[in-house]
Amino acid sequence: MKLAKLLGFKSYADLSMKTKMAGSIENVLEMITTLHVKSQATTLKEIQELQDFAKQNGFGEKLELWDIPYWQRLHKEELFSLDDAVVRQYFPFPCVLKGIFNLCHKLFGITIQEASSNVDTWHPDVTYYKILDSNGKQIASFYMDPYFRSNEKSQGSWMEVGQNHSDVTSSEPLAYMIFNFHPPVSSQPSLLTFEDLKVLLEKFGHLLQHSLTTIPYADVSGLTNLEWDVVNVCPYVMSSFLRHYGTISSLSSHIESGKMISPEMHETLVKKDHYMIGLKLTEELYLSTLDLELYTKREFWTNVTKRLWLQYMPFPFDKTVSQPCSFPEIFCDQYPAAYFSNLWAKMIAADVFSAFEEVGLDEDNKIQQIGHRFRDTFLALGGGCNPGEVFRKFRGRDPCIDALLVSSGMMKKN
């Protein structure tokens, strides 16, 4: 608060908004309120269905918040009797990677080729790739380190920037794609789950934004200087293609039969991914508002927590719970007064992806046109242009909050 006052802002939250696409606390609260009002019926329906399931299985009491994870797991297993081990058989890593390369070629007119020789790597599993434009000219490159190695790699998956694009120094973008997928076993390649597919496509979203930038200066090219609430827009757009059967089938080839994933299995995977999405959204809305309130007002934190819990959460408030103590994100890194950023990125990405859906995801020529427009805006301009302007260049209007509800199945498209 002292820092914000010193710089001429009413609160730290107001200061935070200066480096966000959202631009103001009012815009964020408008998004949160709209999503809460329009998703509330879905959330209550989900909880009632879970309550009925628990009752059918001998649990006679009303579900409390701490009961939810247990009953969710049982309910999910009953609704979607689809084992990850079965799903993985359809997604050998080499096939998935080839499919993603083809998708990038179709959408953005680029070619990704493995460098055949004369490249030093830090491990035999690591591969070096070149990214070529439509004329065959190399415009970027990256290293891919896909597999888990005990005691050698940190957990998680990420894209690390090696070198930014710069016309001043004639530098091409270079990146490192680091994952922790299960390594190949004997002659069998690494097999990916549906969650692995999402992670892989999301990191490719970061890679594309880093590699296809046209901004001439390294300090604002690619992901550099990008507003925190749009950092994950391109990743979410890329992973949204998994909702399209034509795309996910092109990434699949059964390890034994070579068959593509069936439409029925794909539908089940999408429904499983959206399971109780209303409650997940409600929790995210509550935490986003709590974050903003704590960095805006001087009200005592217990009063803020109770007031917002009763406003958003469909469960009784437990006064013994010290909510901020289990909410470390808002005290470190980039998230103080910015926890909403991930939700904002999902909203923008849903609206962006709806442009592809509107022309028909099976219409290759029209999809290519939208893909090239996406490349010329979101992928090309990066931190060198205001994200609101980038969105309007792509969509021709301001963002639509309803797009997120439609994409998650909580609202029918008009």
Side-chain angles (χ1 to χ4, degrees), residues 303-318:
N303 297 334
V304 175
T305 302
K306 181 178 181 179
R307 173 167 53 81
L308 293 180
W309 181 276
L310 296 175
Q311 181 180 342
Y312 286 94
M313 296 300 291
F315 299 99
F317 177 74
D318 184 350

Side-chain angles (χ1 to χ4, degrees), residues 1-19 23-26 29 291-299 336-337:
M1 183 68 78
K2 290 182 179 179
L3 174 62
K5 294 288 186 181
L6 184 64
L7 295 174
F9 294 93
K10 292 181 180 179
S11 66
Y12 186 81
D14 289 291
L15 171 60
S16 173
M17 294 301 148
K18 297 300 291 184
T19 56
S24 69
I25 298 172
E26 291 72 24
L29 292 178
D291 170 40
L292 286 177
E293 292 263 356
L294 291 176
Y295 281 103
T296 303
K297 300 180 179 179
R298 291 186 174 275
E299 186 179 358

Side-chain angles (χ1 to χ4, degrees), residues 129-378:
Y129 293 94
K130 299 177 181 179
I131 300 178
L132 313 177
D133 65 15
S134 57
N135 297 317
K137 178 185 176 183
Q138 181 173 330
I139 55 175
S141 59
F142 64 96
Y143 290 89
M144 171 83 73
D145 188 355
Y147 308 127
F148 171 78
R149 293 194 296 277
S150 179
N151 301 323
E152 188 174 332
K153 295 171 69 175
S154 300
Q155 292 183 353
S157 302
W158 65 96
M159 188 218 75
E160 189 77 29
V161 173
Q163 180 174 273
N164 278 348
H165 170 77
S166 172
D167 285 353
V168 177
T169 60
S170 299
S171 301
E172 293 178 357
L174 172 67
Y176 304 93
M177 299 280 278
I178 312 297
F179 301 94
N180 277 285
F181 300 137
H182 289 291
V185 178
S186 186
S187 60
Q188 186 180 80
S190 173
L191 303 176
L192 306 186
T193 65
F194 186 72
E195 286 300 316
D196 291 335
L197 295 182
K198 288 171 63 178
V199 169
L200 186 56
L201 276 165
E202 285 172 4
K203 299 313 168 189
F204 259 88
H206 278 146
L207 173 69
L208 291 167
Q209 194 164 20
H210 170 67
S211 302
L212 302 185
T213 181
T214 57
I215 300 300
Y217 306 110
D219 287 344
V220 289
S221 68
L223 297 167
T224 308
N225 199 48
L226 199 61
E227 283 78 357
W228 192 244
D229 53 353
V230 292
V231 166
N232 285 324
V233 168
C234 294
Y236 287 144
V237 171
M238 291 301 294
S239 63
S240 294
F241 279 97
L242 291 176
R243 301 203 306 267
H244 176 229
Y245 175 71
T247 299
I248 197 169
S249 63
S250 71
L251 307 181
S252 66
S253 177
H254 193 277
I255 192 65
E256 294 178 355
S257 68
K259 291 183 178 180
M260 297 185 297
I261 186 174
S262 68
E264 294 76 20
M265 183 180 288
H266 173 243
E267 183 179 359
T268 300
L269 286 172
V270 173
K271 288 181 177 179
K272 186 178 179 180
D273 191 49
H274 286 171
Y275 174 72
M276 291 201 76
I277 198 168
L279 181 58
K280 293 175 187 174
L281 176 61
T282 298
E283 291 173 333
E284 198 166 359
L285 295 172
Y286 161 69
L287 292 173
S288 297
T289 310
L290 176 62
D291 170 40
L292 286 177
E293 292 263 356
L294 291 176
Y295 281 103
T296 303
K297 300 180 179 179
R298 291 186 174 275
E299 186 179 358
F300 192 56
W301 68 267
T302 54
N303 297 334
V304 175
T305 302
K306 181 178 181 179
R307 173 167 53 81
L308 293 180
W309 181 276
L310 296 175
Q311 181 180 342
Y312 286 94
M313 296 300 291
F315 299 99
F317 177 74
D318 184 350
K319 63 181 181 180
T320 64
V321 175
S322 299
Q323 182 72 53
C325 297
S326 60
F327 194 17
E329 291 89 347
I330 64 172
F331 300 113
C332 58
D333 297 329
Q334 301 289 333
Y335 279 113
Y339 189 78
F340 73 91
S341 297
N342 200 48
L343 190 58
W344 186 274
K346 289 179 182 177
M347 178 193 71
I348 299 299
D351 202 346
V352 168
F353 187 70
S354 66
F356 290 92
E357 293 179 310
E358 287 165 8
V359 301
L361 291 170
D362 294 314
E363 299 290 335
D364 286 350
N365 290 334
K366 294 179 180 179
I367 285 295
Q368 287 174 7
Q369 293 175 10
I370 303 298
H372 281 256
R373 192 165 81 224
F374 182 69
R375 175 180 174 173
D376 292 339
T377 51
F378 281 91

